[in-house]
Amino acid sequence: MKQLRIGVLAGLFVVAGVLSWGAARLWDSFGTLPSVPLAAPIVLAVIAVVLTATALSLRARLKAQRERRPGAQGVNPLMAARAVVFGQASALVAALVSGMYGGTGVFLLGSLDIPARRDQAIYAAFSVLAGIAVIVAAFFLERVCKLPEDHDKNGTAPAGPAA
């Protein structure tokens, strides 16, 4: 499984933002603009909380397992892999959605004197912040579930399978 890369997420954010800004300009020329729903930052924040809670739970269970505490529940590797995949998918979607709302928010900065558009710009800003929180939580979850590197005493990776 490949790790998340901040460059890929930043690229998705920028491309989605530019396309969204252009679409908002075009849409506004027709006299209307699609609204930024109030639920957008809420849903992204809930996803960030779920990812963080999952990472904290897995970290505590892995720590108990490493310390060989009596009654410690092990972590099913398949469950950990599914959690990481969920985190990665959430980060990719959050980068796209945050870019989309960020581009719309940048367009709305030009008309903050209109109360309805100011509210939309605020919702867009909170959506971007919540999307960043999802990405941070996904990186944290990925770090918690990362397997330790297998090195021998010389600091080099083994050439073949372990005996």
Side-chain angles (χ1 to χ4, degrees):
M1 185 179 318
K2 291 187 178 184
Q3 289 184 311
L4 281 174
R5 293 200 168 162
I6 199 77
V8 171
L9 296 174
L12 286 172
F13 178 84
V14 169
V15 168
V18 168
L19 290 174
S20 177
W21 175 79
R25 286 190 63 184
L26 179 65
W27 208 302
D28 189 52
S29 69
F30 292 122
T32 62
L33 185 66
S35 65
V36 178
L38 175 61
I42 294 169
V43 169
L44 287 169
V46 167
I47 293 170
V49 167
V50 167
L51 288 173
T52 303
T54 302
L56 292 173
S57 172
L58 287 173
R59 184 175 71 170
R61 289 172 63 186
L62 287 169
K63 182 178 178 184
Q65 187 178 1
R66 273 192 308 271
E67 294 174 354
R68 301 191 191 286
R69 292 184 193 159
Q73 291 181 339
V75 175
N76 182 351
L78 188 58
M79 184 192 77
R82 286 179 180 161
V84 170
V85 168
F86 173 64
Q88 289 179 344
S90 298
L92 291 169
V93 170
L96 284 171
V97 169
S98 296
M100 183 181 74
Y101 288 132
T104 302
V106 167
F107 173 76
L108 290 171
L109 289 177
S111 56
L112 291 178
D113 53 335
I114 303 169
R117 292 217 172 173
R118 182 180 22 205
D119 291 344
Q120 295 297 305
I122 291 170
Y123 298 159
F126 281 128
S127 296
V128 171
L129 291 175
I132 291 170
V134 169
I135 292 169
V136 169
F139 274 112
F140 178 55
L141 177 62
E142 188 175 68
R143 184 172 174 267
V144 165
C145 293
K146 185 177 179 182
L147 293 174
E149 295 294 325
D150 188 19
H151 295 288
D152 65 5
K153 293 179 184 176
N154 296 332
T156 59

